[in-house]
Amino acid sequence: MDRFYSLNHSSIDFLFKQTPRDFVVEELPLYEFSGEGEHLVLFVRKKSLSTLELVSLIAKYLGIKNKEIGYAGLKDKHAMTKQYISIHKQYEEAMENFSHDNVKIISKTYHNNKIKTGHLRGNRFYIKLKKVNPTSAQKIDEALKNISKDGMPNFFGYQRFGNDGDNHIEGEKVAKGEKKERNPKIKKLLINAYQSHLFNLWLSRRLEINTLVQNFKPQELESLLNMPNSELVSMKAQKHPFKLISGDIMEHYPHGRLFDFDGKEDDCKRFNDRDISPTGLLCGKKVKQSSGSARLIEKDFDDEINADGARRYAWVFPEEVEGRFKPIEAQYELNFSLPKGSYATVLIEELAKRKINDKKDIR
């Protein structure tokens, strides 16, 4: 389903339609493939197909089960995507005759192991924004500079919640045993949507708190936020737009171990330097919870469900961010890389939000 993003605030506007022509994704593998081994690794370009549809297509062609095909991540259907899949080397000759209008095998190599979910470093994106005027382009330039410098909130994108955006509603029922779902993949999908929904609500609340801390004095917020003055003073002094709170669970970035934030100035500096980043809760069992003031906020977005929980980066840092304005076409082209699990459409939405803020600033 095509998605449109547009803002119409005088000279500040753009249009984004998520189509294969305007939305291109290339997978960045976690490691280099060995070039030898019993698994054939195919670098595949697809359009208007989800990863699971691609896998089913090839499995049906080869007469094998879907689970015999390895892939690192699920790529959007409404895009031109390039990703790696693996199959056993015995099917190499059969794949020579594989043909589909929406699929092209770009290259092939070999590896010792099957590609597994999560075995990717991130994704590189190319996105085209339309109906962009020169004033809008300048605002986008400035917003991209800020995102390159400070990073962005790591919300789950709309894709996480299904075509109608309500998978989390069914997911809550399944997660609490109020509704049964026999298909294990669908069950996991629905529960993940519910966990993601709570994460997004928590992250929105943290951003609201950031705004309050930036715009009001600590003594004015003590009763409103139910936080001690010393905590608010510490948050106010932090340079980064995302304010760390005592008891936050931090993680080494872009991957590494978890540890508690106890207010040390050195950790604030490490966050500014992109060495660490705060995490949010994906509720469930066997997951580390925050503590102190951070937990007082987090607990409102926690829930006891019959599934394992996890921590997710609350803040990520896009890399190699590039922007080009094409005045004749009234288009703006973006290139950037995101870590695995982060959504390009969230960056587009963040641009939109920041443009609104810029508009307010110049009035």
Side-chain angles (χ1 to χ4, degrees):
M1 181 170 59
D2 292 340
R3 294 278 173 162
F4 295 85
Y5 297 80
S6 63
L7 292 172
N8 295 292
H9 297 276
S10 184
S11 61
I12 311 297
D13 64 327
F14 67 73
L15 173 68
F16 170 54
K17 182 180 180 182
Q18 191 173 334
T19 65
R21 180 173 294 180
D22 300 332
F23 191 86
V24 180
V25 189
E26 181 172 341
E27 196 170 78
L28 303 174
L30 183 62
Y31 46 73
E32 289 188 17
F33 300 108
S34 64
E36 57 184 25
E38 61 180 11
H39 295 272
L40 174 67
V41 177
L42 302 175
F43 189 40
V44 180
R45 186 181 71 200
K46 66 177 183 63
K47 64 178 180 179
S48 303
L49 288 171
S50 69
T51 298
L52 295 182
E53 287 172 336
L54 171 68
V55 168
S56 294
L57 199 69
I58 294 176
K60 185 177 180 180
Y61 170 78
L62 294 175
I64 61 177
K65 295 180 179 179
N66 290 13
K67 65 181 182 180
E68 294 182 56
I69 300 177
Y71 56 88
L74 298 176
K75 297 293 176 286
D76 206 297
K77 179 174 182 175
H78 307 288
M80 177 83 76
T81 68
K82 301 175 184 179
Q83 71 177 115
Y84 295 91
I85 65 169
S86 68
I87 56 178
H88 197 276
K89 193 175 180 179
Q90 71 186 79
Y91 301 112
E92 182 173 6
E93 186 175 346
M95 287 302 297
E96 295 290 339
N97 296 319
F98 175 80
S99 178
H100 190 279
D101 291 343
N102 291 345
V103 179
K104 181 179 180 180
I105 297 174
I106 300 173
S107 63
K108 67 179 182 179
T109 186
Y110 309 94
H111 196 60
N112 310 97
N113 305 312
K114 176 182 177 182
I115 297 176
K116 295 183 179 180
T117 303
H119 283 190
L120 73 160
R121 178 165 57 89
N123 297 287
R124 181 76 177 163
F125 297 89
Y126 164 80
I127 288 175
K128 189 184 295 181
L129 307 177
K130 297 181 178 179
K131 297 187 177 180
V132 180
N133 60 43
T135 303
S136 299
Q138 290 180 354
K139 297 299 180 184
I140 296 172
D141 283 340
E142 186 63 29
L144 285 177
K145 287 180 183 178
N146 291 334
I147 290 173
S148 296
K149 174 178 173 288
D150 296 324
M152 70 176 199
N154 195 27
F155 285 106
F156 284 97
Y158 70 83
Q159 303 95 317
R160 188 75 163 183
F161 305 101
N163 289 336
D164 296 325
D166 60 358
N167 277 1
H168 63 283
I169 298 174
E170 293 299 303
E172 180 179 7
K173 297 175 183 176
V174 173
K176 294 181 176 180
E178 298 170 3
K179 181 178 179 179
K180 291 186 177 181
E181 174 54 58
R182 296 183 182 278
N183 188 315
K185 288 187 177 181
I186 295 178
K187 180 179 179 180
K188 183 179 180 181
L189 187 74
L190 293 173
I191 293 176
N192 286 347
Y194 179 56
Q195 293 170 310
S196 304
H197 173 67
L198 292 178
F199 175 93
N200 278 4
L201 291 178
W202 167 82
L203 185 51
S204 294
R205 177 57 179 158
R206 287 294 296 262
L207 295 183
E208 289 173 2
I209 292 173
N210 291 346
T211 301
L212 290 171
V213 169
Q214 288 173 341
N215 294 312
F216 293 91
K217 297 178 180 179
Q219 55 266 35
E220 296 176 307
L221 297 175
E222 285 183 60
S223 58
L224 177 63
L225 297 180
N226 191 27
M227 296 173 70
N229 182 270
S230 58
E231 184 75 63
L232 293 165
V233 169
S234 174
M235 294 168 66
K236 186 84 172 179
Q238 294 174 28
K239 296 179 180 179
H240 199 279
F242 189 92
K243 308 304 179 184
L244 304 180
I245 300 176
S246 294
D248 267 334
I249 304 295
M250 309 296 291
E251 184 173 3
H252 289 261
Y253 189 88
H255 48 75
R257 65 177 181 86
L258 300 172
F259 67 96
D260 296 321
F261 173 70
D262 57 8
K264 290 181 180 177
E265 188 175 333
D266 182 57
D267 284 337
C268 292
K269 182 180 183 303
R270 291 170 69 198
F271 180 33
N272 291 337
D273 293 340
R274 307 185 180 199
D275 291 334
I276 59 175
S277 186
T279 65
L281 176 71
L282 295 174
C283 67
K285 300 178 293 184
K286 303 177 183 178
V287 60
K288 184 177 176 65
Q289 297 179 339
S290 60
S291 59
S293 297
R295 180 60 187 170
L296 291 177
I297 300 166
E298 181 181 272
K299 66 180 177 60
D300 292 335
F301 307 96
D302 195 357
D303 202 355
E304 293 185 6
I305 62 173
N306 188 28
D308 288 341
R311 305 294 305 189
R312 170 182 171 86
Y313 286 117
W315 200 264
V316 292
F317 301 97
E319 296 182 346
E320 301 175 281
V321 180
E322 302 169 351
R324 298 169 298 281
F325 177 48
K326 294 192 169 183
I328 296 177
E329 297 89 346
Q331 295 176 354
Y332 195 102
E333 296 178 342
L334 299 169
N335 290 92
F336 54 90
S337 299
L338 291 175
K340 66 179 181 179
S342 298
Y343 291 78
T345 50
V346 171
L347 188 145
I348 299 301
E349 291 168 354
E350 186 68 13
L351 280 180
K353 293 175 187 176
R354 295 190 184 213
K355 290 199 304 152
I356 291 173
N357 292 336
D358 286 343
K359 184 64 178 179
K360 289 179 180 177
D361 289 342
I362 63 175
R363 280 180 177 173

